[in-house]
Amino acid sequence: MLITPITKLEGTFSIPSDKSISHRSVMFGSLALGTTHISNFLMGDDCLSTINCFRKLGVNIQIEEDTVTIEGKGLHGLTPSEDILDCGNSGTTVRLISGILSGQAFSTTLTGDASIQKRPMKRIIKPLSEMGATLEAKEDNFCPMTIHPHALKGICYHSPVASAQVKSSILLAGLYADGPTTVIEPAISRDHTERMLTAFGATVTREGTAVTIEPCKELYATDIVVPGDISSAAFFMVAGLITPGSDLVIQNVGINPTRRGILDVLLTMGGDITCFNEKEVCGEPICDMRVRYSKLHGTTVEGDIIPTLIDEIPAIAVAALFAEGKTYIKDAAELRVKESDRIETLHTELSKMGAHITPLADGMIIDGGYPLTGATLESYHDHRIAMALTIAACNAQSPCTLKNSDCVSISFPNFYQLLEMHSQRLSS
Ligand code: S3P
């Protein structure tokens, strides 16, 4: 795709629905008794992978426009899949479904695309094995992975990583355990599982960084309205801040405290962002955001805030390129095991445009203020790398070519249409 520079972004629009919440609504709806209606569902490739997996496990799931209707089967009503379950590019699907499958009465094999087959599964194999399941994985760490369930026991697990996928996998297995299951994290990761499982009738409690789930007889269907995804809004927040003359309103953005780290970082960098119309929908806080072009300055992003913005670091890195001074990103080694090694891919690709980035084992140092020039860029089939490179390229001094840009369909199918609709190009 050819990306030509833009002069400003303006208008009022909504961004796509939250990926994490959409996944969970399908999973919990499938396990509940009764019919769950999900409105404003994200029809991105990852969430469609979750729907396909649960259809293969015998769940009747109907899709009509952006609404999904699920005839739940109950906690013990899933049926064996004739095929290996294909989780596509979705780490959330593989890791969360593994917890659920550990509590079933049949074995299941999971796999996914080339990226999924490189992502670490030991982080869930260890706790789920401690609970009693047997997980056979390639090199004990990678998909394809077969889960042989067993009577599960409740455990107290000190997770070495702040990962909502690991935490959720264990909590979902905990629904089937013989006693309470506790996960203690080094820092609090996104809490959509805790919020939504509570709405479906499970007993989940939190004390500091520890979350405990009680074993559960049944979950009960409830209707879900999915808010907009702050991880998708991130690209337009940053594009609005760095493109002179921009003035945007992004509607219906989820600002759950475990997800809103980017907002706090961009405000600290001097970003002119105002949140208004704050309200709560289905237990999740949302708002509208006005974003105006701003002169940004560098900052340090580290410590407990990292899990609240882990998916937004590619967008933050682009903001830092247009900020005065240095931005330090630390404590973010998890970036190395995302859809691509995002420290490596951001460094390699942004450097081609003239960016000054020093990669670190757990982050990067970005020296802002150097003009970007046109280059031929590669997304590595990583949706967030594709979108980060695009907003950087929109503000380069000459056109860029981005290879494999269609992977934005993983989380933001209409990214390029929205960008086109709300931006003015130099040539127009
Ligand atoms: C997700 C959790 C995060 C995030 C991913 C979605 C989720 O991963 O990067 O895009 O829905 O639970 P980790 O929990 O492994 O950090």
Side-chain angles (χ1 to χ4, degrees):
M1 166 172 292
L2 182 71
I3 302 163
T4 52
I6 61 174
T7 50
K8 65 174 169 179
L9 279 155
E10 53 194 357
T12 298
F13 54 92
S14 301
I15 32 84
S17 312
D18 191 281
K19 182 159 81 65
S20 293
I21 296 176
S22 295
H23 279 300
R24 286 159 172 80
S25 62
V26 172
M27 295 184 183
F28 306 169
S30 296
L31 296 178
L33 289 178
T35 305
T36 291
H37 301 275
I38 310 161
S39 335
N40 202 32
F41 184 82
L42 174 64
M43 296 297 168
D45 295 345
D46 269 11
C47 298
L48 295 174
S49 292
T50 293
I51 288 185
N52 284 338
C53 287
F54 280 88
R55 280 182 170 155
K56 291 221 149 101
L57 292 165
V59 185
N60 180 5
I61 303 177
Q62 301 297 329
I63 301 177
E64 214 172 300
E65 293 178 0
D66 69 354
T67 300
V68 175
T69 305
I70 304 181
E71 302 295 336
K73 303 280 277 185
L75 278 176
H76 299 278
L78 300 179
T79 49
S81 169
E82 283 175 12
D83 310 312
I84 292 180
L85 294 186
D86 183 358
C87 301
N89 189 248
S90 174
T92 307
T93 309
V94 186
R95 299 208 176 99
L96 270 61
I97 210 172
S98 297
I100 294 169
L101 292 170
S102 294
Q104 305 306 310
F106 51 85
S107 299
T108 309
T109 301
L110 304 171
T111 195
D113 69 7
S115 153
I116 273 295
Q117 293 185 36
K118 284 194 230 138
R119 296 185 66 186
M121 294 299 146
K122 212 173 248 168
R123 51 180 58 200
I124 55 162
I125 294 175
K126 188 169 180 288
L128 294 175
S129 305
E130 270 180 36
M131 293 179 82
T134 304
L135 291 91
E136 285 172 342
K138 199 173 72 186
E139 296 164 35
D140 295 329
N141 197 18
F142 302 106
C143 282
M145 176 169 70
T146 301
I147 298 157
H148 303 288
H150 197 267
L152 299 180
K153 55 177 192 287
I155 60 168
C156 177
Y157 189 69
H158 286 261
S159 179
V161 282
S163 159
Q165 294 180 354
V166 171
K167 171 179 65 180
S168 302
S169 184
I170 302 167
L171 294 177
L172 287 165
L175 291 169
Y176 296 90
D178 63 356
T181 297
T182 300
V183 184
I184 303 170
E185 299 190 280
I188 299 177
S189 64
R190 65 189 68 191
D191 66 358
H192 306 302
T193 296
E194 296 90 302
R195 288 175 189 246
M196 201 187 290
L197 274 180
T198 304
F200 276 89
T203 305
V204 187
T205 49
R206 166 175 294 285
E207 241 186 275
T209 59
V211 182
T212 300
I213 192 161
E214 302 296 326
C216 189
K217 283 209 168 50
E218 288 297 351
L219 298 174
Y220 297 95
T222 184
D223 289 347
I224 304 283
V225 181
V226 183
D229 198 329
I230 192 165
S231 301
S232 297
F235 298 102
F236 280 94
M237 290 160 75
V238 170
L241 292 178
I242 65 175
T243 313
S246 297
D247 190 350
L248 296 173
V249 173
I250 312 173
Q251 295 172 308
N252 187 31
V253 185
I255 47 165
N256 177 317
T258 61
R259 295 285 301 283
R260 54 168 279 155
I262 182 168
L263 184 55
D264 301 327
V265 166
L266 294 176
L267 290 171
T268 306
M269 292 175 81
D272 181 352
I273 305 179
T274 325
C275 294
F276 58 104
N277 285 342
E278 289 192 32
K279 55 186 174 203
E280 204 168 287
V281 173
C282 289
E284 293 281 350
I286 63 170
C287 75
D288 296 339
M289 278 180 196
R290 184 169 182 194
V291 180
R292 281 178 281 194
Y293 169 71
S294 310
K295 290 222 175 311
L296 301 178
H297 51 83
T299 187
T300 298
V301 189
E302 64 183 344
D304 288 358
I305 199 172
I306 292 292
T308 73
L309 49 67
I310 190 73
D311 289 343
E312 291 69 74
I313 290 176
I316 291 172
V318 175
L321 293 177
F322 292 85
E324 199 186 302
K326 289 190 174 154
T327 294
Y328 298 83
I329 297 171
K330 301 180 198 163
D331 304 321
E334 279 293 295
L335 289 175
R336 296 214 178 263
V337 290
K338 294 297 178 189
E339 286 84 330
S340 69
D341 174 343
R342 288 181 175 160
I343 294 174
E344 181 67 32
T345 49
L346 285 170
H347 170 234
T348 307
E349 298 307 308
L350 293 171
S351 297
K352 287 183 188 168
M353 301 170 78
H356 289 219
I357 300 181
T358 310
L360 307 172
D362 66 344
M364 62 194 93
I365 304 168
I366 300 155
D367 203 355
Y370 292 89
L372 301 185
T373 50
T376 298
L377 306 168
E378 171 60 57
S379 76
Y380 303 88
H381 302 279
D382 180 336
H383 52 135
R384 300 200 204 284
I385 295 299
M387 291 186 274
L389 294 177
T390 299
I391 57 169
C394 281
N395 287 279
Q397 292 178 334
S398 45
C400 291
T401 301
L402 175 60
K403 293 188 186 159
N404 297 310
S405 57
D406 52 356
C407 58
V408 300
S409 61
I410 293 287
S411 61
F412 203 152
N414 61 340
F415 173 72
Y416 287 106
Q417 287 90 318
L418 269 186
L419 189 60
E420 185 62 33
M421 211 183 296
H422 294 283
S423 63
Q424 284 185 16
R425 306 251 150 215
L426 274 182
S427 50
S428 61

